[in-house]
Amino acid sequence: MAAPRRLYEVLEAMTELESLGIEVILNEEAESKAPACPHGPTLLFVKVIRGEKQGRRFYACSACRDRKDCNFFQWEDEKVSGDFSSCGTFINNNCNPPPPKAKYRELFTRCSEIFHRYGKFISLPLSRKSFCQDCQLLLLPNEQSEHGAHHVLKDVSLAQLKRPSQLLRPLENKKTNAQYLFADRSCHFLLELILSLGFRRVLCVGTPRRLHELIKLRAADGKAPVVESLLLDIDFRYSQFYSEDEFCHYNMFNHYFFGGETAVKVCRNFLRKDSRVLMVTDPPFGGLVEPLAYSFKKLITIWRTTRDQVNSTEQLPIFWIFPYFFESRILHCFPTFSMLDYQVADYVNYILYSRSHTRSAKRLLSNTDLLLKMFGSQQQLKYCSICQRYVSSENSHCEICKACTSKDGRRWKHCSICDKCVKPTWVHCESCNHCALQNHTCGRTSIGCFTCGSMDHKRTACPNISVSKEFQLDRRKKHKKKATTMKWILRKSHKSKKKTNLKSLSLNQRMSNL
C-alpha cells in the first residue's frame, strides 16, 4: 500500500487544469517495478501536460477507475519505506479478493475449498438448500442461523445452480466491473457460430458468463459435438459454482491470475488439449483498450507456447465484443482484426443494449475468417458483392471510398472536403477543417496527438514537441508556489484548531499548561 498522500500532492496529481489526458505505459520494465494493490500488479500512468515531453508518472489500480473502489496511488519516483511496504502487503493479503463478509475472506481465496462446499450443497435435500442474497453465498445447514437477518433465498433448485448468473446479483459499477449479461438469443447465436466454425474449446475471458453457462448446460445434456469452456473472470463469486478446471480468478487488465502458478497451469493445459480453441471476450465498456490488448497478447503467447510456436506469427482465434467507436484502437493493437456489422444488441440488464433498441454500438471484432459466413437470419444483413462480405441492410456502398463505410447501422454520407464518409448528423466545420457535430466546440479533439492535434500520430511520436528550459522553470515555480500555499493553509488550519481548543479550557487548565 502506498504511503499516505499529503493533500497538496494529491491535488497536484489529480488536477486537470493543465492536463490534456492520461496515458498508460506498458512495457516489461514498468511491469517488473509495479507495486501491487488488492487487484494485483498496478499499472503505470503518465499525466500528459501541454508543451511537456513527459509528465510525472504514477502507479494506480488496473481494475478500478474510481478512487473510491481502490484508492491505491504511488508516484513512480517515490521511495516507500519498509514499514509502509509491509503494511501494504498485509492489507493486500487480507483484501484479496474483497469478500461480501469479513468472516468468509479466507474461504473465497481458496477456490478448491469453496468448490468442495458446492459438493456438500448439492447433496442436501431441496428444503435445506439456501442462498444468502446479501452475502452472495451458498449456505450450508450449520451457517443458516448466522444469516437470519439477511435476505435468504430458499429451496434453491439444481436448474438455478446451473445458471449462477441468474442467481448472483450482477455487478453494475461502470467504473470497476460492470456486468451486462447476454440474453439467451445472443448466446445461442454465438454458440451456433462457434460450432459452425469448428471450434471445440472456448476460453471465456471476462465475459460472457451466460455463454460459459450455455456451453456447460449443453455438455451436461450430452449433446454433440462436445464443446468445453474455461471462464477467466475477476468476479470471485463464481468459484462457488465451478471447479478449478472450469473457473480461474483473473484480472484481464493486468493479466493477473489470483490463484498463482496453479491457475496459470490450468489455463495452459486448457489451451494445449485441442488446437480448435477460440477466445471470446466482452470487457467492460469503459475499459482501456491498450491494457486489454497487452493481456490478450500474453494469452496468445501462452497458446503459442503450448503449440511450440513461440516465434510464430500465428494468432489465437479471438472474438472481441466491444463498441464500434473503439475499432481504430483495437486495430492499432491487432491489425489483423476485422469488425463485423452484426450488432450485439441483447443484454438482459442494460436497456440501451436491449432488443427493443434498433441500433446498438456493440460489434463483433475478430481475426478469424468470418466475413464470408452467412448469419443474415439473425439480423437484416445483405451481401455486398464488391466488398465480398455481409453488411447491414442500411449500409450503402460508397463508390468514392470503394467500401461499405457505415459503422453504426445508419447510412453514412460522403464529404468531398474530408474525402471520406461521415455520420449523417455531422457537418463540415471550416474552423476545425473536419466534420463534426453541428454544436461541437471548435478546436477540441478527443483523439489524435495531444500536443499538435494531428490525427496521424500520438503525443509520444509527435515530431513538433519541444520543451524549453524557460517553460520547465516556470512550471517548477508554479508547483513550488502551489505546494507552499497548501502548506500555509494546512499550518494555519492546525493553529486555528489549537487556539479553539485552548479557548474551551478553563483558566486554571490554561495556567497549568503554561
Side-chain angles (χ1 to χ4, degrees):
M1 202 70 172
R5 300 271 62 76
R6 291 187 294 273
L7 179 60
Y8 68 88
E9 284 189 338
V10 176
L11 291 174
E12 177 189 356
M14 303 311 295
T15 183
E16 295 296 331
L17 295 177
E18 299 180 60
S19 174
L20 293 176
I22 292 178
E23 292 181 357
V24 59
I25 300 174
L26 300 167
N27 53 51
E28 293 183 0
E29 181 182 359
E31 187 178 1
S32 62
K33 298 179 180 179
C37 74
H39 302 89
T42 55
L43 294 180
L44 181 61
F45 297 90
V46 58
K47 187 173 63 174
V48 182
I49 308 298
R50 184 180 298 279
E52 286 195 7
K53 193 171 184 178
Q54 181 173 306
R56 194 176 181 186
R57 307 200 294 188
F58 61 92
Y59 290 101
C61 179
S62 61
C64 304
R65 291 182 295 152
D66 196 330
R67 296 284 297 278
K68 295 179 182 178
D69 299 314
C70 182
N71 62 356
F72 185 96
F73 181 91
Q74 179 180 316
W75 292 114
E76 183 194 24
D77 54 3
E78 181 181 43
K79 293 183 180 179
V80 182
S81 66
D83 293 337
F84 282 117
S85 179
S86 301
C87 179
T89 303
F90 174 79
I91 292 174
N92 290 344
N93 292 338
N94 285 272
C95 295
N96 182 16
K101 277 281 187 180
K103 185 174 181 179
Y104 302 104
R105 180 179 287 116
E106 293 184 3
L107 180 64
F108 275 102
T109 58
R110 299 190 295 268
C111 292
S112 58
E113 292 186 24
I114 195 169
F115 184 73
H116 182 63
R117 287 166 45 89
Y118 182 77
K120 294 181 179 179
F121 189 89
I122 286 291
S123 62
L124 295 173
L126 181 63
S127 59
R128 304 190 68 184
K129 291 180 180 178
S130 302
F131 176 78
C132 181
Q133 296 177 325
D134 293 342
C135 300
Q136 298 285 282
L137 182 71
L138 296 173
L139 301 179
L140 295 177
N142 60 340
E143 299 170 346
Q144 294 183 11
S145 59
E146 302 175 12
H147 301 261
H150 298 173
H151 296 86
V152 176
L153 181 65
K154 301 287 187 179
D155 301 335
V156 179
S157 65
L158 183 61
Q160 289 175 303
L161 293 175
K162 290 183 178 180
R163 303 298 297 265
S165 66
Q166 296 180 357
L167 194 61
L168 296 172
R169 181 173 58 250
L171 305 176
E172 297 183 353
N173 187 340
K174 296 181 181 179
K175 295 184 178 181
T176 307
N177 46 10
Q179 296 177 350
Y180 299 122
L181 307 178
F182 280 145
D184 288 339
R185 176 174 173 268
S186 295
C187 289
H188 283 288
F189 161 71
L190 284 173
L191 184 55
E192 289 175 8
L193 187 60
I194 290 168
L195 292 172
S196 65
L197 292 172
F199 294 111
R200 295 297 175 260
R201 305 180 71 78
V202 183
L203 183 68
C204 296
V205 180
T207 49
R209 294 159 188 80
R210 284 182 170 249
L211 176 62
H212 178 73
E213 292 174 2
L214 184 62
I215 292 174
K216 292 298 178 185
L217 286 171
R218 192 176 183 279
D221 294 339
K223 294 183 179 180
V226 178
V227 181
E228 298 182 33
S229 176
L230 173 65
L231 176 62
L232 309 184
D233 198 274
I234 198 170
D235 189 351
F236 60 91
R237 299 176 301 171
Y238 282 86
S239 59
Q240 300 178 87
F241 303 91
Y242 299 118
S243 66
E244 289 180 292
D245 296 330
E246 299 171 322
F247 170 79
C248 293
H249 190 202
Y250 175 78
N251 184 351
M252 73 174 85
F253 289 98
N254 58 4
H255 186 65
Y256 180 68
F257 287 87
F258 292 87
E261 187 58 35
T262 302
V264 176
K265 186 177 180 181
V266 170
C267 181
R268 188 184 298 115
N269 291 338
F270 181 84
L271 295 174
R272 178 185 290 127
K273 286 183 181 180
D274 196 329
S275 60
R276 298 172 296 176
V277 62
L278 169 73
M279 189 183 100
V280 181
T281 181
D282 181 23
F285 301 169
L288 294 174
V289 172
E290 289 77 12
L292 288 171
Y294 195 71
S295 297
F296 296 163
K297 288 177 181 179
K298 289 188 176 183
L299 288 174
I300 293 174
T301 302
I302 294 177
W303 174 75
R304 287 175 178 167
T305 304
T306 61
R307 296 167 58 86
D308 297 326
Q309 295 181 356
V310 179
N311 299 321
S312 173
T313 57
E314 188 178 1
Q315 294 290 323
L316 170 70
I318 299 175
F319 285 0
W320 188 338
I321 300 167
F322 224 48
Y324 70 86
F325 38 81
F326 285 104
E327 180 191 16
S328 59
R329 295 188 183 183
I330 295 177
L331 294 181
H332 178 76
C333 301
F334 293 105
T336 58
F337 272 49
S338 297
M339 188 178 76
L340 304 184
D341 272 13
Y342 175 74
Q343 299 180 19
V344 182
D346 290 340
Y347 286 84
V348 294
N349 59 329
Y350 194 40
I351 189 171
L352 292 181
Y353 294 101
S354 64
R355 191 174 183 180
S356 60
H357 287 68
T358 56
R359 283 193 295 270
S360 168
K362 300 300 289 290
R363 296 291 187 276
L364 184 65
L365 295 100
S366 178
N367 56 354
T368 61
D369 187 19
L370 294 177
L371 301 182
L372 298 180
K373 290 293 176 181
M374 174 60 179
F375 42 85
S377 59
Q378 302 292 332
Q379 286 193 346
Q380 294 298 321
L381 301 179
K382 64 180 181 181
Y383 184 78
C384 178
S385 58
I386 304 175
C387 296
Q388 294 187 351
R389 69 183 183 97
Y390 286 92
V391 298
S392 173
S393 58
E394 297 182 0
N395 196 347
S396 60
H397 187 85
C398 178
E399 298 295 338
I400 303 175
C401 297
K402 297 182 180 179
C404 294
T405 53
S406 175
K407 303 292 184 182
D408 60 0
R410 295 178 293 177
R411 187 183 298 271
W412 285 18
K413 62 182 181 180
H414 188 86
C415 176
S416 57
I417 304 175
C418 295
D419 194 26
K420 65 177 182 180
C421 288
V422 297
K423 295 180 180 180
T425 54
W426 286 15
V427 294
H428 190 83
C429 178
E430 298 295 340
S431 301
C432 300
N433 196 27
H434 64 78
C435 290
L437 288 171
Q438 193 166 6
N439 58 349
H440 75 287
T441 303
C442 294
R444 289 189 182 180
T445 178
S446 59
I447 56 176
C449 179
F450 286 146
T451 303
C452 66
S454 174
M455 308 295 288
D456 300 329
H457 58 267
K458 287 192 173 183
R459 179 195 63 84
T460 52
C462 181
N464 303 321
I465 193 168
S466 61
V467 184
S468 63
K469 293 183 179 180
E470 293 80 12
F471 181 84
Q472 288 184 348
L473 183 61
D474 181 60
R475 177 160 180 79
R476 288 196 193 101
K477 288 181 179 179
K478 288 182 180 179
H479 282 181
K480 188 175 181 180
K481 185 177 180 181
K482 184 192 299 182
T484 305
T485 304
M486 291 304 301
K487 285 181 180 178
W488 179 81
I489 293 173
L490 291 173
R491 194 181 299 116
K492 186 175 180 181
S493 175
H494 177 71
K495 287 183 178 179
S496 177
K497 289 180 179 179
K498 188 175 181 181
K499 189 178 293 184
T500 303
N501 292 335
L502 283 173
K503 286 181 180 180
S504 64
L505 296 175
S506 64
L507 179 61
N508 292 334
Q509 288 174 321
R510 273 186 268 176
M511 292 298 292
S512 63
N513 288 336
L514 295 176

